[in-house]
Amino acid sequence: MSTERISPSEAAAAQEFPDRVGFQPENPYLANFKPYIPAGVHLRELTVLPLVMGTLLGMVFGASSLYLVLKVGLTVSASIPVAVISITVFRALSKIRIAPIAIRVILATLILAAGIASVYFLISAGSPIYWTALVGILFLGLTWLAFNGSLDATILENNIVQTAGSAGESIAFGVGVTMPAIMILGLDLEVTRVMLVALLGGLLGILMMIPLRRALIVAQHGYLKYPEGTACAEVLKAGASKESRAAAHQAGEVADETEQMGAKTIFAGLGVGFLYQVLMAGFKGWKDTPEKVFGAPFKAGSISAEISPALLGVGYIIGPRIASIMCAGGVLAYLVLIPAIKFFGSGMTTPLAPGTVPISEMSPSQIRGAYVLYIGAGAVAAGGIISLFRSLPTIWSGLKGGLADLRGGQAATAGAPRTDQDMSMKVVIGGIIVLVAMIMLFPQLNLRFNLIGAILIVAFGFLFVTVSSRLTGEIGSSSNPISGMTVATLLLTCLIFLVIGWTGPSYYITALSIGGIVCIASSNGGTTSQDLKTGFLVGSTPKLQQIAILVGAFASALILGPILLVLNDSATVYVPRLSFEAATKSVVVDPIKAAALPAFSDQIKPSAPGNYRVLKNDPAAPTVAGLDPGEYLVDASGKVAYKMEENFPATLKIDPSQAGEPEKLKGPQANSDPGLYRPYHKTDTTGGPAGRYLVNDQGTPVYLADPGINGIHKTRPDGSQVTKYDAPKATLMSYIIKGILNRQLPWGLVLLGVMIAVVLEMSGIPSLAFAVGVYLPLSSSSPIFIGGMIRWLVDKYLRKKLQHRKLTEDELVAETDKSPGVLMASGYIAGGALAAIVIAILQGVPKQGLANFNKAIEDWATAHNPLFGEANGNLLSMIPFLIIMLLLYLVGREVILKSRKAKV
């Protein structure tokens, strides 16, 4: 093996042994360490193809991570999946290189034809030019590779791939945690703003970490474990090429790693996840969220599950404990709080603030939107702050140790060996200065010549990059409290702004720009540390790794902004003043009573034409027994056809001069209404709900724009369903800003959530995971719980299987983390999330033909597909989900897709 294990007692003895001859290093772990590829051996490393492949994979995993953080508020490490894909792809390319010319021509022709078809489809669908160009360039590159092949990558080239590929995931986390808060606060989210925050924060985090490398990675080797970086190094060594193994043998290394990583497992997971999501969401093969809403005596109680491969994979990776705690929060919200609010409010005939309609007329989702979301946000805020305070001793220790180590690390000599060469400190410091200058100059960040903002970014940025880099080494990336550091940054920034008097809406953007850049910098600092640890173990050149991750971060930052806006636009619902929900109960009104009802004469009509009358079912004296309170439309036959809801009053008027520049609708609804409207942000609830309105030239609101991220309306006027993104941590950031700078929160509900978090902490239960579960829909946390239970069953089997090896608990956890099930789950996440993004992009294209095709598929599935229709769809749609659950369990048990042994 390339490293030697030393127990802490042996390390102490080595340090205290008085008669040791020769140089005695301060770190005994370092004295016995040898990298896999020694400093004196030179292999191919930073070459064009690995850098491009790593950058593209970083963009792919960055996109899937952004989707995840918007759905459930967390991401999954990309390094190991990227490393496995790199090893496999380069091995395949090396075989193509020696294949007969006829096979290479056929393969290249097929890929080129697929590329031409894809580009033609994107152009005909009206897709933005940058997506079309990106796909075209990608297929040209694939065609070239299919014809020419490539040499098998060295272990150092594969390390470059995973280094460049890991940047996207950490930047996506920071973007998803902070940037949607701008929309939640009622402001416009500009694509250039997101790109700048992602770019500047990502590059700043890498540059600020580079001076810490010798101190944290080298000097602290053996003490700071960097678990993910170490595991990734083992994957790279297990899949090392013959050339790399030979180089390690030359230096006396025992390069006989026996276990070949099952790359086919992650590709199988990616394929299954992608195909499943396309069939479910694209072709409406089955319902994506089976649901059961209970009636009396448990009114408004409900259970549901978003049967997504990505969420199932997340649950498997985070494990049974956290998955169970998250789902328990959802159970409290949906099976305790919502039914309790319905029970106590069912007799009320007037709205209870912050709700705008009586509780008796509310559905479970409306009760959640009006009351439970605030309780959940309060719990998340309290959990985040408690988590931060609990981490303060560790953060303080990490800060002191990092700064002390930084001073010691500067003593490195200029003539360092290949494995100890960093980028020039002149370039690093100059780069930081340039980035800070750019932060102050770009108007999109609202920090123009704002010296206080620049000082806060540098101070908090360096503080939390140092802390994150060290904590990642101590407790791993998954336990690193990045969101807690972001909460601390926003709290302190907002308090400083409050003291100065900067409390207007424009300063919301300033505070979020500071928080976003610091969040992304600290997240990327931790990721860079893990990558450099991997490189340290395999014997890479740090300078080349640092260049690779800068390139990867730059490319990923450029695409995350457009993807964020595409996801939001595709799920945005433009809500008219009146909305109509098809009646779920078959209720017929007595013909005599129906004829006496007032005629419906509003200009806004339901999707099905007809002559309707208005029925108001009052909760105090209901007109029709068995029908929920509210307003309904009754057709000519007396049948209740629609439940009608007023989203904003007809009396609401807005001064057109106060509205923005005219704009068109975005997404599918643009096909039915090509008109131009002026956007207006209403920040109070006087005269109507707060939100972003689209008004006509007369000042009459036509639509309330309900965003795809954190929106509450899940049905478009044509009846089509929309999946929203709840963005729990971005909501937390918005509440911190709103609560401190504007003090506009229903504090009674927020404090209820705070007390829930306090009770959990007093009971010894981690409050943050539970609080996120309270805030998220139960449909999101229930598949995560199922994935965690599958992991529990697999781990139980593996522990029994490994019992004879007498491993410690940490070693057992490390073994289960490397199991095929984890790779399969990673594939589920990447495949499912990528398919969801592709579908979102296509749904957002304002092309009538594509919209008609989507509507035709949904109408056919509703009428003819038993897995999608209302009658048995909720139950039958679980069958495909059970199949991928069983597949994940069997792969975890190595019943199928077994890893093979490498021949040495």
Side-chain angles (χ1 to χ4, degrees):
M1 298 291 291
S2 58
T3 59
E4 181 178 333
R5 288 185 177 273
I6 301 177
S7 69
S9 59
E10 290 174 326
Q15 287 177 311
E16 295 169 3
F17 202 91
D19 55 355
R20 189 167 182 175
V21 178
F23 171 70
Q24 296 183 25
E26 293 182 5
N27 185 342
Y29 292 96
L30 198 56
N32 294 277
F33 171 76
K34 293 180 181 178
Y36 188 78
I37 303 296
V41 175
H42 292 273
L43 292 175
R44 295 186 312 280
E45 191 166 359
L46 185 62
T47 52
V48 174
L49 186 55
L51 183 61
V52 171
M53 183 183 295
T55 301
L56 289 174
L57 288 174
M59 294 161 77
V60 167
F61 279 90
S64 62
S65 294
L66 181 61
Y67 172 83
L68 271 187
V69 79
L70 293 176
K71 290 293 290 182
V72 294
L74 53 83
T75 61
V76 176
S77 177
S79 291
I80 290 179
V82 169
V84 171
I85 291 172
S86 174
I87 291 167
T88 309
V89 169
F90 273 110
R91 201 140 294 169
L93 290 175
S94 68
K95 293 178 180 177
I96 290 174
R97 188 167 181 265
I98 59 175
I101 185 69
I103 293 177
R104 287 188 281 150
V105 168
I106 293 170
L107 189 59
T109 304
L110 290 174
I111 292 176
L112 184 61
I116 292 171
S118 300
V119 169
Y120 175 78
F121 174 76
L122 290 173
I123 292 173
S124 61
S127 182
I129 186 64
Y130 49 83
W131 293 121
T132 306
L134 187 63
V135 169
I137 293 169
L138 179 62
F139 272 100
L140 284 175
L142 291 174
T143 303
W144 184 86
L145 284 175
F147 184 75
N148 292 284
S150 170
L151 292 171
D152 195 2
T154 67
I155 189 172
L156 302 185
E157 287 179 311
N158 282 325
N159 184 51
I160 289 294
V161 176
Q162 75 82 21
T163 300
S166 63
E169 175 262 326
S170 58
I171 295 176
F173 177 80
V175 169
V177 162
T178 56
M179 289 295 96
I182 294 176
M183 279 187 294
I184 297 169
L185 289 167
L187 303 173
D188 284 328
L189 183 60
E190 298 175 13
V191 66
T192 51
R193 181 177 295 139
V194 182
M195 290 169 64
L196 283 171
V197 169
L199 185 63
L200 298 173
L203 299 182
L204 199 62
I206 296 167
L207 292 177
M208 283 182 167
M209 193 276 147
I210 289 173
L212 298 169
R213 186 196 66 85
R214 287 193 181 94
L216 298 180
I217 308 297
V218 180
Q220 294 293 314
H221 173 65
Y223 298 119
L224 296 179
K225 303 296 183 184
Y226 289 99
E228 289 90 349
T230 302
C232 189
E234 293 302 315
V235 170
L236 290 172
K237 288 188 284 184
S241 64
K242 292 180 180 179
E243 181 183 2
S244 304
R245 290 171 180 268
H249 270 298
Q250 288 175 9
E253 288 293 309
V254 185
D256 59 349
E257 306 288 344
T258 56
E259 188 175 352
Q260 186 74 24
M261 295 304 297
K264 60 185 177 183
T265 304
I266 191 169
F267 278 106
L270 195 149
V272 169
F274 190 92
L275 182 62
Y276 179 101
Q277 190 73 23
V278 167
L279 291 176
M280 177 181 71
F283 292 96
K284 311 299 179 186
W286 51 90
K287 292 189 75 168
D288 58 357
T289 310
E291 182 181 27
K292 169 65 177 174
V293 179
F294 301 110
F298 197 48
K299 287 191 75 173
S302 64
I303 55 174
S304 57
E306 186 178 335
I307 48 177
S308 154
L311 298 182
L312 183 69
V314 167
Y316 189 95
I317 288 176
I318 68 175
R321 176 166 168 76
I322 298 299
S324 300
I325 292 172
M326 278 185 68
C327 190
V331 169
L332 176 71
Y334 278 75
L335 298 177
V336 179
L337 295 178
I338 292 176
I341 292 170
K342 185 74 170 181
F343 178 80
F344 291 114
S346 58
M348 299 180 67
T349 57
T350 57
L352 175 65
T356 55
V357 296
I359 293 174
S360 57
E361 299 179 17
M362 286 185 172
S363 65
S365 62
Q366 289 174 314
I367 293 173
R368 174 178 176 264
Y371 306 106
V372 176
L373 281 184
Y374 290 103
I375 297 173
V380 170
I385 294 169
I386 290 169
S387 173
L388 174 65
F389 275 102
R390 188 186 289 114
S391 303
L392 278 179
T394 309
I395 291 174
W396 176 244
S397 172
L399 177 61
K400 287 196 301 182
L403 291 176
D405 291 339
L406 176 59
R407 290 193 296 270
Q410 298 304 315
T413 60
R418 177 186 62 81
T419 53
D420 199 33
Q421 294 174 0
D422 288 307
M423 288 178 64
S424 166
M425 282 302 108
K426 292 179 181 178
V427 173
V428 171
I429 295 171
I432 293 172
I433 293 172
V434 169
L435 289 175
V436 173
M438 291 171 67
I439 288 168
M440 293 179 65
L441 291 175
F442 280 111
Q444 290 89 345
L445 305 181
N446 206 39
L447 280 162
R448 280 176 292 181
F449 305 106
N450 189 325
L451 188 60
I452 293 176
I455 292 171
L456 289 174
I457 287 174
V458 172
F460 287 134
F462 184 73
L463 166 68
F464 288 129
V465 166
T466 303
V467 169
S468 175
S469 299
R470 189 172 182 91
L471 286 185
T472 301
E474 291 179 350
I475 57 179
S477 297
S478 57
S479 303
N480 195 9
I482 297 294
S483 56
M485 298 178 199
T486 310
V487 167
T489 301
L490 272 182
L491 280 172
L492 294 171
T493 301
C494 289
L495 289 172
I496 292 170
F497 282 13
L498 189 63
V499 171
I500 297 173
W502 294 351
T503 56
S506 63
Y507 290 106
Y508 297 174
I509 295 176
T510 308
L512 272 171
S513 296
I514 294 171
I517 291 171
V518 170
C519 177
I520 293 168
S522 54
S523 178
N524 227 19
T527 298
T528 304
S529 301
Q530 295 283 15
D531 292 334
L532 292 175
K533 182 64 175 184
T534 302
F536 176 74
L537 294 173
V538 301
S540 72
T541 308
K543 176 172 64 177
L544 302 183
Q545 271 193 282
Q546 290 154 8
I547 294 171
I549 197 168
L550 284 169
V551 173
F554 182 87
S556 295
L558 292 181
I559 68 156
L560 290 176
I563 289 175
L564 178 65
L565 265 69
V566 162
L567 291 174
N568 178 67
D569 291 343
S570 68
T572 294
V573 175
Y574 295 96
V575 185
R577 179 171 54 81
L578 297 178
S579 57
F580 308 93
E581 181 183 353
T584 55
K585 296 179 181 178
S586 181
V587 177
V588 178
V589 181
D590 181 85
I592 298 175
K593 287 184 178 180
L597 294 174
F600 176 70
S601 58
D602 201 285
Q603 292 181 349
I604 302 175
K605 307 290 185 184
S607 55
N611 295 318
Y612 297 100
R613 294 183 176 274
V614 180
L615 166 68
K616 185 166 185 180
N617 210 38
D618 196 288
T623 307
V624 179
L627 197 64
D628 291 335
E631 286 190 313
Y632 295 85
L633 294 186
V634 179
D635 64 17
S637 66
K639 183 180 178 181
V640 175
Y642 294 97
K643 184 177 182 181
M644 183 172 64
E645 188 167 333
E646 186 179 62
N647 299 299
F648 52 89
T651 54
L652 181 62
K653 293 290 181 181
I654 292 165
D655 183 357
S657 65
Q658 300 296 316
E661 292 298 317
E663 64 179 47
K664 290 186 176 183
L665 274 62
K666 298 174 183 176
Q669 284 180 253
N671 296 307
S672 57
D673 187 350
L676 288 170
Y677 301 97
R678 294 180 179 273
Y680 176 78
H681 294 284
K682 191 173 183 296
T683 56
D684 55 50
T685 55
T686 305
R692 187 176 190 268
Y693 288 86
L694 297 183
V695 303
N696 59 22
D697 292 335
Q698 290 73 44
T700 303
V702 180
Y703 296 107
L704 172 62
D706 186 64
I709 298 173
N710 203 245
I712 57 174
H713 293 271
K714 298 184 177 181
T715 305
R716 291 195 175 97
D718 65 358
S720 59
Q721 295 296 310
V722 177
T723 301
K724 296 287 189 177
Y725 303 93
D726 291 281
K729 292 185 178 175
T731 303
L732 162 61
M733 305 307 164
S734 72
Y735 278 31
I736 289 172
I737 292 175
K738 193 187 296 183
I740 296 177
L741 297 186
N742 221 12
R743 287 161 283 191
Q744 288 184 351
L745 282 177
W747 283 105
L749 294 172
V750 172
L751 289 173
L752 283 176
V754 171
M755 291 303 110
I756 289 173
V758 171
V759 169
L760 289 166
E761 291 292 339
M762 292 174 70
S763 304
I765 299 170
S767 61
L768 185 56
F770 187 95
V772 169
V774 174
Y775 181 82
L776 287 176
L778 181 60
S779 60
S780 295
S781 55
S782 52
I784 291 176
F785 171 72
I786 293 169
M789 290 301 99
I790 296 173
R791 174 69 179 267
W792 177 74
L793 291 172
V794 171
D795 284 359
K796 191 174 181 182
Y797 161 78
L798 290 176
R799 284 173 180 272
K800 189 174 181 181
K801 179 182 175 183
L802 299 171
Q803 199 170 15
H804 67 283
R805 291 173 57 179
K806 299 186 177 355
L807 301 176
T808 65
E809 183 61 26
D810 288 343
E811 289 170 333
L812 276 170
V813 170
E815 285 295 324
T816 57
D817 281 345
K818 292 191 293 184
S819 71
V822 172
L823 290 178
M824 188 72 172
S826 297
Y828 275 7
I829 292 169
L834 288 176
I837 291 169
V838 171
I839 292 168
I841 290 171
L842 294 178
Q843 286 179 339
V845 172
K847 201 76 172 178
Q848 189 62 50
L850 193 59
N852 292 341
F853 177 73
N854 291 333
K855 189 71 169 65
I857 288 177
E858 185 166 354
D859 290 344
W860 183 90
T862 302
H864 303 288
N865 186 352
L867 277 71
F868 190 82
E870 288 296 331
N872 299 305
N874 285 313
L875 185 61
L876 293 177
S877 59
M878 291 298 296
I879 295 174
F881 193 60
L882 287 170
I883 292 173
I884 65 169
M885 285 167 53
L886 179 62
L887 184 61
L888 181 59
Y889 174 72
L890 293 176
V891 170
R893 288 277 307 257
E894 293 192 89
V895 175
I896 56 177
L897 295 178
K898 292 183 181 179
S899 59
R900 59 186 176 84
K901 302 295 182 181
K903 295 179 181 179
V904 184

